[in-house]
Amino acid sequence: MTAVDAAAAPAGTTGAAAGTPAEAAGTPTEATGPLTEAAETPAKATGTPTEAAGTPTKATGTPTEAAGTPTKATETPTDAVGPLVRGVGVLRRLTEADGALSPSALERATGLARSTVDRITGTLARMGYVRPAGRDLVLTPRVMELGNAYLAALRLPALLGARADALADELDESVSLAVADLDGIRFIHQATRRRALSVSFRIGDLLPAERTAPGALFATEWTEAEWTHWRRRRTADPESASFPTVPPSTGQNSGTPSPSFTERVERTRRDGWALDDQLIEPGLVAVSAPVRHPDTGRIACVASVVSHTSRHSAADLRTSLLPRLRTTVKAMEADLRAAPPAQPGPAPSGLATWTTASKHELGRDFVESLARGLTVLTAFDEDRPALTLSEAARATGLSRATVRRALLTHEHLGLVTAHPDRTFTLTPRVLDLGFPPHARTSLPRLAEPHLRSLAARLQEPTALAVLTADGKEIQYTAGATAGRVLTVHIPVGTRLPATATSLGRVLLATTATPLPPDLSEIRTQGYALVDEELESGLRSIAVPVRDRTGRPIAALNVATHAARRTLEDCVHTLLPALRSTADLIQTDLHTASRFTPVPPT
């Protein structure tokens, strides 16, 4: 399987032909047979989603059905893992609520008993996917590892993302990449402009095909069965209410079938590109062109330039921006042709061995089958875009029987697709599991819960800061206070001389040239301790926070009064806790920034 084969297969969420909608994609088909360990694939598998794979049936149109989750009209396979089905439902409801819901709201949204919700969320908390925040349960950045597995296995963001970013810089407009997801489109890459008026779509957001330019392009390859499914969904949901990330329809494309959409598809078929003239909402315009699979000639993904009517009219997009977009698309297609095939690396071993220990520790409050089922999704990666049942078992350390039932369940939920060569690939709907709420995060937002936890544990204030562009000052970007009468309070945005602060010194120790002796010692020991230099009585100790490349991009400190902590106490007590917190922040940062930019401020 070549790089683009592996990339395109999950992009369409269907298909024996990689990267193309299969004949029955998104439509009712014959029931898929159960997975057999001997065959390692469904008995009647054709490589296309079926009703058992979570595809909407005749009773489609509700938000959960559009998301590919099972409903009363979809029969759950006998061997499906019930707790995994319910756990995925909880993750989807949290995602739809932008990452936060109270347990009571989750109970209402899922229809599950409160005790079941508590056990599921307790298990997700043990996995690091959710955490309590006041009365709510919130998704953490670590849940993005599920979506990261899909994006890594897809390979398109890694292969084409730099081209999209360069085009966005050149045009000073937002550029996106999208793949097909049944009768919708889902973003896999976003290069956005940081303006007061900017596009707010995120990686993982799902939009209805008829209200987008990429949707018209993908629809040029739909089969009659796929058109039938689209018409059914439009009949049941004419206002696109099942797509929570878009505003309600203003009336265009209403009815079933929608003549305006079918006409746009025919025009798109003739032109080879598509235009979105305020289909999503007034003022938003976009022009799109297909990036085609080098072997099949079918659409692997769609590249779009997005703007608003105060900058470009729809006609202006066609005349001024489309030629440059097409040039970039040609370069992207050349990149796909030149991409080497995925080289299988050593499979990770024992991804799920920790679940047994968690079960022993927490007892019935830990839903081991849910944890193991989600872990199966993380076995996929850029060097493992497609896995057989046996390969997935080796990668996770789980038994073949456990992996078989997990894959069967994921297929039922629409999260994996089975192929005739006995392999499985992830589908774009994995991005439904918590990815979008953190796809536009920042380092201060990632750090804040960890700063609050550290301040509460030490009863000392904590802060996060970055160096200014000239390297002479630090700027505070986040902080947490402690419940003391005498405490340090420096507001976010405050600037202080870098050389007079522990935060500044630990950052200067990684960037200053030439390196003074005092900074050389800080670089060697990995922390900076400042004693009453900025202000009498104020002591602080700081450590760096590093990005995925190991480059320090911020610093974290704890401040105290000299009467409360000796210098030795700062090193022996505060420093270990500080380093532990920096590690937690870095873990979140590395997960969140794998496919999405995370600005340091």
Side-chain angles (χ1 to χ4, degrees):
M1 184 176 285
T2 65
V4 287
D5 287 335
T13 73
T14 62
T20 67
E23 187 170 294
T27 65
T29 66
E30 293 182 9
T32 303
L35 287 171
T36 60
E37 294 186 45
E40 297 187 352
T41 187
K44 295 184 181 179
T46 60
T48 65
T50 65
E51 288 183 1
T55 308
T57 64
K58 291 183 179 180
T60 56
T62 65
T64 53
E65 291 178 83
T69 56
T71 67
K72 292 181 180 179
T74 304
E75 184 178 352
T76 303
T78 303
D79 288 344
V81 183
L84 181 55
V85 172
R86 293 186 284 274
V88 167
V90 166
L91 284 175
R92 280 177 163 151
R93 298 297 84 77
L94 281 168
T95 303
E96 291 168 2
D98 206 29
L101 277 177
S102 69
S104 297
L106 265 176
E107 183 182 358
R108 291 190 299 270
T110 60
L112 299 173
R114 178 59 181 269
S115 59
T116 302
V117 169
D118 289 344
R119 292 183 65 216
I120 288 173
T121 55
T123 301
L124 294 174
R126 181 72 169 194
M127 299 181 74
Y129 290 171
V130 302
R131 61 174 175 80
R135 295 183 178 181
D136 286 343
L137 292 163
V138 301
L139 293 171
T140 71
R142 184 168 179 178
V143 76
M144 296 177 77
E145 71 180 13
L146 300 173
N148 283 345
Y150 163 71
L151 294 171
L154 181 66
R155 299 192 71 193
L156 291 177
L159 292 172
L160 309 181
R163 297 277 188 192
D165 295 344
L167 181 61
D169 290 338
E170 177 186 337
L171 302 179
D172 194 27
E173 299 289 354
S174 296
V175 175
S176 65
L177 300 177
V179 296
D181 191 348
L182 297 182
D183 63 348
I185 67 111
R186 199 179 292 270
F187 294 113
I188 60 168
H189 185 82
Q190 288 277 7
T192 57
R193 304 294 88 190
R194 298 188 73 178
R195 295 195 184 102
L197 188 62
S198 61
V199 179
S200 62
F201 288 128
R202 307 160 297 185
I203 293 175
D205 278 342
L206 178 68
L207 308 183
E210 67 274 9
R211 293 181 64 182
T212 68
L217 283 160
F218 287 120
T220 63
E221 298 182 342
W222 283 359
T223 65
E224 183 54 39
E226 290 168 312
W227 277 106
T228 298
H229 164 65
W230 175 78
R231 293 184 183 101
R232 287 174 176 166
R233 193 263 295 166
R234 291 292 292 156
T235 300
D237 183 23
E239 301 300 318
S240 303
S242 57
F243 296 85
T245 60
V246 298
S249 173
T250 57
Q252 72 273 31
N253 299 327
S254 61
T256 178
S258 170
S260 61
F261 182 52
T262 56
E263 289 172 358
R264 284 199 299 116
V265 171
E266 287 308 309
R267 184 167 63 249
T268 297
R269 193 190 310 276
R270 294 191 302 269
D271 296 340
W273 53 272
L275 199 64
D276 172 356
D277 188 0
Q278 306 180 77
L279 294 170
I280 291 291
E281 66 179 10
L284 185 67
V285 290
V287 62
S288 301
V291 180
R292 296 190 176 275
H293 190 287
D295 296 332
T296 66
R298 294 174 70 90
I299 300 174
C301 68
V302 170
S304 304
V305 179
V306 186
S307 187
H308 57 82
T309 51
S310 297
R311 293 177 59 84
H312 293 281
S313 66
D316 187 36
L317 287 180
R318 181 177 66 250
T319 57
S320 63
L321 301 187
L322 178 59
R324 188 64 193 89
L325 174 61
R326 280 178 152 171
T327 299
T328 296
V329 163
K330 288 182 179 179
M332 288 179 174
E333 291 174 341
D335 290 341
L336 292 184
R337 287 192 295 271
Q343 298 297 326
S349 58
L351 282 176
T353 54
W354 64 273
T355 61
T356 300
S358 297
K359 184 66 175 178
H360 287 161
E361 179 181 344
L362 301 179
R364 70 178 304 275
D365 290 333
F366 183 77
V367 187
E368 189 173 17
S369 57
L370 168 59
R372 289 183 166 183
L374 293 176
T375 299
V376 169
L377 297 177
T378 66
F380 295 83
D381 207 336
E382 58 188 339
D383 56 356
R384 296 180 302 280
L387 293 173
T388 65
L389 190 152
S390 297
E391 289 167 342
R394 284 196 298 271
T396 58
L398 297 172
S399 69
R400 283 167 52 90
T402 298
V403 171
R404 170 187 165 276
R405 293 191 66 203
L407 288 171
L408 174 68
T409 306
H410 289 316
E411 187 182 17
H412 167 65
L413 296 171
L415 300 174
V416 303
T417 296
H419 298 278
D421 63 357
R422 299 182 180 182
T423 63
F424 298 85
T425 55
L426 300 179
T427 77
R429 273 176 283 176
V430 174
L431 293 171
D432 275 338
L433 308 184
F435 199 93
H438 288 290
R440 286 284 182 86
T441 192
S442 64
L443 180 57
R445 183 179 172 188
L446 292 179
E448 282 170 355
H450 300 295
L451 295 180
R452 290 194 295 268
S453 176
L454 179 63
R457 178 156 42 117
L458 298 178
Q459 282 301 294
E460 301 287 4
T462 65
L464 187 78
V466 296
L467 276 178
T468 56
D470 59 11
K472 294 181 180 180
E473 295 179 313
I474 60 163
Q475 180 177 355
Y476 285 80
T477 59
T481 59
R484 290 183 179 274
V485 175
L486 181 61
T487 188
V488 178
H489 178 66
I490 301 176
V492 169
T494 299
R495 294 191 177 197
L496 294 175
T499 56
T501 63
S502 61
L503 291 161
R505 288 186 184 178
V506 81
L507 289 171
L508 288 173
T510 66
T511 59
T513 304
L515 199 63
D518 58 332
L519 293 183
S520 179
E521 182 180 358
I522 290 173
R523 177 182 291 183
T524 300
Q525 64 190 17
Y527 69 90
L529 178 61
V530 171
D531 183 24
E532 303 188 74
E533 294 185 36
L534 182 66
E535 184 175 325
S536 296
L538 178 62
R539 285 176 177 158
S540 67
I541 187 168
V543 297
V545 175
R546 301 178 184 273
D547 64 13
R548 288 178 61 86
T549 68
R551 179 176 62 93
I553 59 170
L556 173 68
N557 86 339
V558 173
T560 187
H561 189 273
R564 291 204 299 265
R565 305 271 186 178
T566 65
L567 293 176
E568 292 76 13
D569 191 31
C570 288
V571 174
H572 295 137
T573 303
L574 300 185
L575 181 59
L578 195 60
R579 282 176 164 162
S580 176
T581 300
D583 287 342
L584 292 174
I585 294 172
Q586 288 173 166
T587 297
D588 284 352
L589 173 62
H590 297 173
T591 301
S593 63
R594 186 172 181 185
F595 292 103
T596 63
V598 178
T601 58

